[in-house]
Amino acid sequence: MELKKSLKLELFGFFLLNVFVLSMARKTIPSINWVLKETKYTRLCSSKNILTVNGLFPGPTLYVRKGDRLIVNVQNQGKYNVTIHWHGVKQPRNPWSDGPNYITQCPIKPGANFSYEIIFSTEEGTLWWHAHSDWSRATVHGPIVVYPSIGTTYPFPKPHAEFPIVLASWFKGDVMEIIQTALANGGEPNASDAFTINGQPGDLYNCSKPGTFNVLVNYGKKYLLRVINSVMNEEMFFAIAQHNFTVVGMDGAYIKPIETDYIMITPGQTMDILLTANQSPSHYYMAGRAYAGAVYDNTTTTAIVKYIGNYTAPSTPSFPSNLPNFTDIDAVTNFTNRIRALASKDYPIDVPKKVDTQLYITISVGLIPCPNKSCDGPDESRLAASLNNVSFEEPAVDLLQAYYRKIGGIFTTDFPSVPPYFFNFTADEMPDNVLIPSTGTKVKVLEFNSSVEIVFQGTNIQGAAENHPMHLHGFSFYHVGSGFGNFDNNTDPKGYNLVDPPEINTVGVPKNGWATIRFRADNPGNTTKSVVHALSFGKTF
């Protein structure tokens, strides 16, 4: 009897062990392999090698569900150090896999491997990934599609199909040589030669018509366009000829639907757009062009929406007459002011009402004098981007490692909470003492779980007033307010939207204006970044 009982217990234990093993097997984290390598591409009548992931430009799309985990094994067969950033993925308690070089990790050397663990949490919608080292981002980038978790669905009618629409920059020259030359000489990098949609400039450029990207649609069907602005510098207007659409998501979160015939999207931002194919079957251009105070690239990229069916195709697709002009600041303001969080029962928001830490940060591009006035910047000096007049110096050891291992001498904790000088930040004339930034590796340490408000203030130093995309790693934040001119702490907070501000990860600070964000510092090890100047001028803030 005891033997039978013992055998039963052993069998039962074996059964439980198998259940446990099978359960663990089902929870195995999926793994994919990426190879960074040089690949030959031909655009604009010329060929060159570009750095790619698995030979693709844009790179491969990651498809996941809300709350998933994923391992991406990256093998660097290229010529340069590279890191990968999962833009908009919060990576809770996992900053080591976030990607910014010399901030949360040292770069992957040529010939080396690194495995990223990507932890998705509350994100849902469209995000993207990109290289976070020098200008390798120009060709090393791609979409991230985060579907609703199993058993849930979109807060809008399910589309018939979906398309990623990746806006990017194309340079005829070698992008790494362009930025290295600019950094060595202290001047601005060369402008891009074209914009692209899904890797193709479109048929308004020379030698580009055969490769123009096409979107095939059926009359009466709804389509989800996942638009990503991976352009190096410029904010982009985007429209489709004779079609309106509905913006339903932004930066991996849903927003109140916006009916519009164009969008303005900042570098680093993503938008989910519903398009109804409800026009006469024909060919229609979708087009993107820059909005900028100082336009770097004033060309227009196109793709073609083609209806499926029997009809006589036009010799030239219809062009979107509603695409705003390069300098149409009213179009920018009218669109961005309409963005509100969905803020529903199923998709609630939690805007900090009480603020523990307030930061007021000016964004500038100043000048550092060069010996014998030997540089290519204004006054033969070196251009230097800065926050609160501090221009970042790249450390020898990444900051996160230095913090956790208590390695001294790598950074200081005295990044200023306010600018060192107060003046009319948006005036036409500037005091001489604000043109030269200090240099250093400075950080601001926040208390865990504190609520933080940052006012980003654009400046007109060097007469270089432009929109500044600001991105927060490890968090989404609430964009509670923005305006033009100098921020007024007495009056401007009265206009904050604390009811349904959009929950985003990248905000465009208006030209000669300001933007305020709020978030809770509950994800240790992450950092605030400036998308544009970290890449344009070799500085990471």
Side-chain angles (χ1 to χ4, degrees), residues 271-282:
M271 291 186 186
D272 295 315
I273 296 173
L274 287 177
L275 169 69
T276 301
N278 57 7
Q279 297 302 302
S280 299
S282 188

Side-chain angles (χ1 to χ4, degrees), residues 4-288:
K4 287 183 178 179
K5 185 176 180 180
S6 176
L7 286 172
K8 286 181 179 179
L9 287 173
E10 287 181 14
L11 288 170
F12 182 67
F14 182 73
F15 171 76
L16 289 178
L17 178 62
N18 275 290
V19 169
F20 176 76
V21 170
L22 288 170
S23 174
M24 290 300 291
R26 285 194 294 269
K27 293 181 180 178
T28 300
I29 302 175
S31 178
I32 62 174
N33 297 313
W34 282 2
V35 178
L36 285 160
K37 60 181 180 180
E38 296 285 328
T39 306
K40 187 176 182 179
Y41 270 75
T42 301
R43 299 286 186 272
L44 307 180
C45 314
S46 62
S47 299
K48 66 171 185 172
N49 286 335
I50 64 172
L51 188 63
T52 66
V53 169
N54 296 349
L56 302 175
F57 170 69
T61 301
L62 294 180
Y63 294 96
V64 298
R65 288 194 177 273
K66 183 178 180 180
D68 278 356
R69 290 193 178 203
L70 181 66
I71 299 292
V72 178
N73 303 306
V74 178
Q75 181 181 2
N76 185 5
Q77 294 182 1
K79 299 182 294 185
Y80 303 97
N81 292 343
V82 178
T83 58
I84 305 293
H85 169 51
W86 319 97
H87 193 108
V89 181
K90 299 181 180 69
Q91 293 276 42
R93 305 299 196 276
N94 190 37
W96 309 99
S97 280
D98 189 53
N101 61 320
Y102 294 110
I103 303 296
T104 60
Q105 72 169 106
C106 289
I108 310 168
K109 294 181 179 180
N113 305 300
F114 186 83
S115 293
Y116 288 93
E117 181 182 13
I118 312 171
I119 302 176
F120 295 89
S121 53
T122 61
E123 309 89 356
E124 188 173 327
T126 305
L127 300 170
W128 67 300
W129 59 267
H130 60 84
H132 206 297
S133 39
D134 292 319
W135 265 22
S136 49
R137 173 171 77 90
T139 59
V140 180
H141 58 253
I144 300 175
V145 174
V146 186
Y147 291 115
S149 54
I150 294 175
T152 64
T153 187
Y154 302 113
F156 49 80
K158 185 177 180 180
H160 176 70
E162 61 181 54
F163 301 96
I165 303 295
V166 182
L167 305 174
S169 305
W170 182 265
F171 297 80
K172 287 185 176 180
D174 184 292
V175 292
M176 297 301 281
E177 290 179 3
I178 289 171
I179 187 60
Q180 287 174 354
T181 298
L183 291 174
N185 297 336
E188 286 197 46
N190 294 344
S192 57
D193 296 289
F195 297 119
T196 60
I197 294 177
N198 289 357
Q200 296 289 346
D203 56 15
L204 300 187
Y205 298 92
N206 290 334
C207 308
S208 292
K209 188 171 183 176
T212 299
F213 181 74
N214 295 316
V215 176
L216 301 180
V217 299
N218 282 295
Y219 180 83
K221 300 292 187 180
K222 283 188 180 292
Y223 297 87
L224 179 60
L225 306 182
R226 299 181 178 274
V227 183
I228 298 164
N229 186 355
S230 65
V231 169
M232 295 303 293
N233 291 300
E234 292 90 346
E235 297 180 294
M236 298 293 289
F237 290 120
F238 175 85
I240 300 174
Q242 300 182 36
H243 287 74
N244 292 341
F245 37 68
T246 306
V247 186
V248 293
M250 185 174 177
D251 283 3
Y254 297 119
I255 64 173
K256 289 181 171 65
I258 298 173
E259 303 292 334
T260 183
D261 58 5
Y262 74 93
I263 63 169
M264 197 287 295
I265 183 167
T266 288
Q269 287 183 341
T270 64
M271 291 186 186
D272 295 315
I273 296 173
L274 287 177
L275 169 69
T276 301
N278 57 7
Q279 297 302 302
S280 299
S282 188
H283 293 181
Y284 301 89
Y285 274 133
M286 64 169 57

